[in-house]
Amino acid sequence: MSKTRQVQKPYSYLFAILLVIISSCATEKSLPHSDDPHKPYNYSARNGMVVAAHPLAAQAGVDVLQHGGNAIDAAVATVFALNAAEPFASGIGGGGFMVIYLAESKKTTVINYREKAPAAASADMFLENGEVNNTWRRNHGLAVAVPGALAGWTYALNKYGTWKLAEVIKEAIRIAEEGFIVSKTFSKINKDEYEKLLLNAGETSCYLNDGFPYEPGDTFRNPDLAAFFVRLAEKGMDDFYRGDTAQKIASAIQAKGGVMTPEDLAEYRVIEHPPLTGSYKDFKLFTTRPPSCGGLFVQQLLNIIENWPVKDWGHNSASYIHHFSEALRIVFADKARYLGDPDFVSVPIEDLISKTYAADIAALIQPDRLLSDYPYGEFDKLADKKENTTHLCVIDKAGNIVSLTQSINMFFGTGIVPENTGFILNNQMSDFSPDPESPNAPGPGKRPVSNMGPLILFRQGKPLLALGSPGGTRIFSSLTQIIINIAEFGMSLDEAIEAPRFFSYSSQGRARNLSVEARIPLDIITALENMGQKITIREDYDKYFGGAQGIMIPAGKKVIFGGADSRRDGQGAGY
Amino acid sequence: MKKTAIIFYLMFLIPGIGMENPEAIEPVFEQPILLTSAGQNAEVQLVSVLAKRAGLTYTLSKLATAAELADKKTLVLSIGASMKGLGAAGLDIKQEKTRITDLVKAAQDKKIPIFCLHLGGETRRGQLTDELITLLIPLSQAVIVVNSGNQDGIFTRLCEEHDIPLVGVNRVVDALKPIKDAFK
């Protein structure tokens, strides 16, 4: 062997070693999936992870983690980035709920930044000549509730974060300025909401492409939002709630027939409170409280399911789906009867999540046929007290966790965009019941009931799973199915998320159709029909059932796993 | 070079891929137009904007019935089933099919030509939409489709079988010219 070759060999080994070291430090970005986006894929990382409904947003969060930010810093960076990258599902014009686990103190807390009704709201505000006017509830100025998102994000950042607003918002500004390639999901939703956007955002809005919906592959840019975020970084939250932006928000809403005033914005406050807690076998659940009902009803469903041998029945067997759907119908009866803003109405939370009540419900359900009626629970005494959407999970190196769900309600909210701001205002007022007698009727300052239910599941005192989903009334059904998929059917996180879903409910005592994803086998569907179920078959992977995101931290392992739902554009990033 | 040439030629052979269908629609359709959705899709609003930009005289009626054909010269259908749209209209697919079938029959009885569009692309295909496509395309006198919704050639096959002029476009906005050119 020549001397030249002898010298070359050690260098090539050194190069190879360096390559291995460098690649192990790199971010596991949106790791290449197989060609099939629906094939279950668990992201993995050792130090920190973000799973969110858009890869740019997940990356924004992980960049913060990698540069020393904690989970709360990363979560806020992610939500700003989602506003730019997934503007149809959440943003500064909306609100939400955040569950935070602080590793050092082992404390879990909830930040409620749900929107509130304006002061001029009234119980009968959506009735026109005695009939419900659904346009007013969805595509009109009256549909807008006072946004809580910025107040919630800023509160979390100031109290539990370590970075400043100007730092966490940087990547969102870049995404809004430079734009991104529109996905099939974005395009389809843009087309579905075209009429509303045409009416309220206008033909020249950036939310339309020269007056037409965006096609997959187009580039979406939002220069107004970028400029607005730059101003926000300079001026802070006060401008939004008490300054120039507050005036613009109120003007835009009033121009479309709404009643919100700048004073409504100035009055907005975030609420922080302890989580709602419950259990399923050896798991402990920490989640949001009303007016968020998602976590409450996940717990109620788990309590009911605990009475059944679901593992023996098998995943998505006819018995499992039938019993679960009947349980859902009774839960919806409770929801209609009792749920409202606990600052205004009594909500019998402890009764609803009592194991005894759940056992009674389980015993009521018949194994081979539908009930003839779906009664709500009657409780002795009400304690004195007084929803289209996105979800993300974050974990940092220290073990702090954020599980956050937020929304502008329906995709693209009202479509109303305040002048020169680029963000869309919610239509969260439609989450109130139009029935003036309902505990969830609108009223001054009330927060509408939300189906959102971000949660953290613990086992033996340690966090095991952060989870949440969008999906409106399907949220708590889907979350419960995912939890059971993991706890009883032994699935990995993303297998549990991608598994076929189903949903049903009751209304005024009557069962509604059982909706199922088309992947449920025909023989199961036939068996369900023989029990009296009326089936609606939806798409194979239907976003009707939500778009869950989760992070799992298996005990004793040094690896974090992330799962992101292929029903939307969910992805994970970790390092 | 050879590979590029092969790909170039294949683009002409594979239906609906890449290139606009060269077949134009003869300017035989008359105004005023009754425009409605077949399946309560959101794309009927797109057709409305295209018609407006094309300077056409039309009435948009999402739940149009036979009675609304009274003074109309062409029936334009935007095809695509939307569960959301059906829900908002308080209809199921069976009721919507009945409405459309009755409307189409009335148009045929009055010798009013039918012009169909499918602008929802690939994402507006599925079992229910395909049922509407199979039902309505053979009854129409012209079809415009966004190419990504015709990747399996369903529109091409049906139009060839029934000798119906078909124009494929890559983007919704590209449908403006063929719509404008089709009307007197």
Side-chain angles (χ1 to χ4, degrees):
Chain A
M1 189 187 289
S2 75
K3 196 176 175 183
T4 311
R5 271 195 222 139
Q6 279 175 321
V7 168
Q8 278 177 347
K9 249 188 162 174
Y11 281 110
S12 35
Y13 286 141
L14 188 61
F15 180 72
I17 290 164
L18 274 172
L19 204 60
V20 166
I21 293 168
I22 290 166
S23 60
S24 69
C25 294
T27 306
E28 290 179 14
K29 291 192 182 187
S30 45
L31 286 171
H33 278 214
S34 69
D35 287 338
D36 180 6
H38 300 303
K39 190 173 171 186
Y41 180 87
N42 292 293
Y43 299 92
S44 61
R46 290 190 176 275
N47 297 309
M49 179 175 287
V50 178
V51 235
H54 195 283
L56 290 174
Q59 192 56 46
V62 153
D63 284 348
V64 168
L65 292 177
Q66 279 192 287
H67 287 92
N70 69 10
I72 295 86
D73 301 322
V76 177
T78 306
V79 294
F80 272 114
L82 277 171
N83 196 162
E86 199 200 30
F88 51 84
S90 75
I92 208 167
F97 299 87
M98 197 185 301
V99 181
I100 299 175
Y101 170 73
L102 299 161
E104 193 177 335
S105 60
K106 295 189 177 20
K107 173 189 162 192
T108 306
T109 188
V110 174
I111 298 175
N112 169 353
Y113 55 100
R114 180 70 162 161
E115 299 94 323
K116 295 177 76 168
S122 60
D124 61 356
M125 65 187 285
F126 294 119
L127 297 182
E128 185 182 27
N129 302 321
E131 299 288 324
V132 176
N133 186 322
N134 279 315
T135 300
W136 291 354
R137 296 178 69 219
R138 292 175 188 154
N139 301 342
H140 190 273
L142 286 174
V144 188
V146 181
L150 182 61
W153 304 343
T154 313
Y155 179 94
L157 195 63
N158 290 342
K159 188 162 181 184
Y160 297 112
T162 61
W163 282 25
K164 299 286 179 221
L165 179 63
E167 294 170 304
V168 298
I169 206 173
K170 276 188 190 155
E171 184 60 11
I173 293 171
R174 189 197 66 77
I175 295 169
E177 258 171 6
E178 293 178 14
F180 56 91
I181 303 297
V182 166
S183 67
K184 285 182 187 175
T185 303
F186 186 119
S187 173
K188 181 165 191 310
I189 292 169
N190 197 227
K191 286 171 184 170
D192 283 346
E193 303 300 332
Y194 179 66
E195 187 173 353
K196 174 171 71 185
L197 287 168
L198 204 60
L199 177 69
N200 286 337
E203 219 169 303
T204 58
S205 163
C206 72
Y207 290 104
L208 294 175
N209 192 1
D210 188 28
F212 291 102
Y214 283 87
E215 302 284 357
D218 286 348
T219 299
F220 174 81
R221 289 187 187 86
N222 195 339
D224 276 355
L225 185 70
F228 171 70
F229 278 172
V230 168
R231 291 197 300 275
L232 185 63
E234 288 162 14
K235 296 185 180 181
M237 191 180 86
D238 272 357
D239 175 70
F240 187 96
Y241 286 100
R242 291 175 188 80
D244 191 41
T245 304
Q247 298 288 337
K248 285 183 183 175
I249 290 171
S251 296
I253 289 167
Q254 288 172 17
K256 294 289 181 182
V259 296
M260 194 181 298
T261 64
E263 288 70 36
D264 286 319
L265 286 140
E267 289 292 308
Y268 184 86
R269 297 289 182 273
V270 163
I271 302 174
E272 181 177 3
H273 56 71
L276 181 74
T277 60
S279 68
Y280 177 78
K281 296 191 179 176
D282 62 344
F283 297 94
K284 194 152 184 201
L285 179 75
F286 285 68
T287 185
T288 49
R289 307 179 75 88
S292 159
C293 72
L296 169 73
F297 290 128
V298 165
Q299 183 59 67
Q300 189 180 12
L301 282 166
L302 288 173
N303 287 345
I304 298 167
I305 290 167
E306 218 170 358
N307 293 277
W308 295 324
V310 294
K311 199 169 176 179
D312 294 339
W313 288 343
H315 173 248
N316 281 357
S317 62
S319 282
Y320 175 65
I321 295 176
H322 169 73
H323 282 79
F324 198 127
S325 65
E326 287 283 270
L328 275 169
R329 290 172 183 131
I330 293 176
V331 164
F332 268 89
D334 284 337
K335 181 180 180 227
R337 172 65 182 84
Y338 291 114
L339 262 291
D341 184 343
D343 286 346
F344 293 83
V345 297
S346 290
V347 181
I349 295 172
E350 297 310 316
D351 288 311
L352 287 167
I353 59 169
S354 91
K355 301 284 188 186
T356 310
Y357 177 50
D360 290 343
I361 293 173
L364 187 65
I365 290 168
Q366 300 300 305
D368 54 358
R369 61 186 183 279
L370 270 61
L371 294 172
S372 56
D373 184 30
Y374 297 90
Y376 54 77
E378 301 269 4
F379 308 118
D380 289 334
K381 185 179 152 192
L382 292 178
D384 282 329
K385 285 252 199 191
K386 299 191 221 168
E387 244 232 330
N388 308 351
T389 306
T390 200
H391 181 81
L392 65 97
C393 299
V394 184
I395 185 167
D396 66 24
K397 200 169 175 180
N400 301 307
I401 299 171
V402 174
S403 183
L404 177 166
T405 311
Q406 60 177 31
S407 181
I408 50 175
N409 199 15
M410 295 171 194
F411 287 135
F412 289 108
T414 52
I416 299 171
V417 181
E419 189 192 355
N420 293 338
T421 62
F423 65 83
I424 294 178
L425 288 166
N426 67 80
N427 58 0
Q428 216 65 261
M429 292 295 287
S430 70
D431 269 4
F432 281 115
S433 168
D435 174 8
E437 301 302 314
S438 166
N440 189 34
K446 277 178 87 169
R447 297 175 203 247
V449 167
S450 165
N451 294 295
M452 290 187 258
L455 60 93
I456 303 176
L457 213 57
F458 286 70
R459 199 179 208 174
Q460 294 167 349
K462 294 197 168 102
L464 172 68
L465 174 68
L467 186 68
S469 178
T473 50
R474 284 79 60 198
I475 288 174
F476 48 86
S477 168
S478 293
L479 292 179
T480 308
Q481 288 173 53
I482 293 167
I483 291 170
I484 297 293
N485 284 346
I486 293 168
E488 297 291 351
F489 301 125
M491 292 185 196
S492 73
L493 175 57
D494 206 47
E495 279 175 341
I497 288 173
E498 297 295 344
R501 294 188 197 152
F502 54 87
F503 171 74
S504 188
Y505 66 107
S506 69
S507 176
Q508 294 167 340
R510 287 176 45 219
R512 300 299 163 171
N513 280 15
L514 173 61
S515 294
V516 302
E517 283 185 317
R519 293 176 287 150
I520 301 282
L522 192 54
D523 60 323
I524 304 291
I525 291 175
T526 305
L528 288 163
E529 285 173 333
N530 290 339
M531 294 180 195
Q533 299 272 7
K534 292 190 171 25
I535 311 285
T536 300
I537 299 179
R538 300 194 65 109
E539 294 174 20
D540 281 347
Y541 293 86
D542 201 319
K543 62 180 182 297
Y544 171 79
F545 298 97
Q549 258 71 252
I551 287 177
M552 186 178 274
I553 317 104
K557 303 247 190 252
K558 293 190 163 89
V559 180
I560 307 158
F561 294 107
D565 205 327
S566 69
R567 292 169 182 86
R568 295 246 294 257
D569 289 338
Q571 288 219 9
Y575 79 104
Chain B
M1 183 66 184
K2 192 174 172 184
K3 218 183 261 185
T4 312
I6 290 168
I7 292 166
F8 183 73
Y9 287 126
L10 279 173
M11 282 170 72
F12 282 102
L13 291 175
I14 297 170
I17 297 295
M19 307 288 285
E20 215 174 284
N21 188 312
E23 184 170 0
I25 298 170
E26 292 294 316
V28 298
F29 293 90
E30 295 183 309
Q31 308 171 55
I33 296 161
L34 177 62
L35 167 60
T36 193
S37 159
Q40 295 307 307
N41 54 80
E43 292 83 53
V44 69
Q45 204 65 44
L46 286 173
V47 181
S48 172
V49 171
L50 287 166
K52 186 177 85 171
R53 290 196 185 183
L56 302 178
T57 306
Y58 69 97
T59 302
L60 168 61
S61 175
K62 291 181 198 173
L63 296 169
T65 59
E68 293 169 70
L69 283 167
D71 57 340
K72 302 297 185 291
K73 298 280 179 66
T74 304
L75 172 63
V76 175
L77 302 177
S78 170
I79 300 180
S82 166
M83 299 291 286
K84 183 173 174 254
L86 287 165
L91 298 172
D92 59 33
I93 190 64
K94 206 171 162 183
Q95 291 166 318
E96 174 70 351
K97 274 186 185 169
T98 302
R99 180 185 72 84
I100 282 295
T101 309
D102 290 348
L103 181 63
V104 163
K105 182 163 186 322
Q108 289 175 318
D109 290 345
K110 290 175 186 294
K111 299 200 178 354
I112 293 173
I114 298 165
F115 193 128
C116 288
L117 295 101
H118 181 272
L119 299 183
E122 186 186 0
T123 53
R124 188 66 79 197
R125 286 287 306 276
Q127 188 193 327
L128 296 180
T129 297
D130 288 2
E131 287 173 14
L132 290 168
I133 291 168
T134 311
L135 173 69
L136 296 169
I137 296 302
L139 306 176
S140 57
Q141 282 68 53
V143 179
I144 294 178
V145 63
V146 165
N147 285 327
S148 71
N150 190 29
Q151 285 182 77
D152 60 355
I154 187 173
F155 289 95
T156 309
R157 268 195 311 279
L158 286 168
C159 288
E160 279 177 1
E161 265 172 41
H162 298 275
D163 199 25
I164 300 164
L166 167 68
V167 171
V169 296
N170 286 332
R171 302 164 60 86
V172 168
V173 66
D174 297 335
L176 178 59
K177 187 173 187 314
I179 286 175
K180 192 173 181 177
D181 290 347
F183 283 86
K184 289 180 184 172

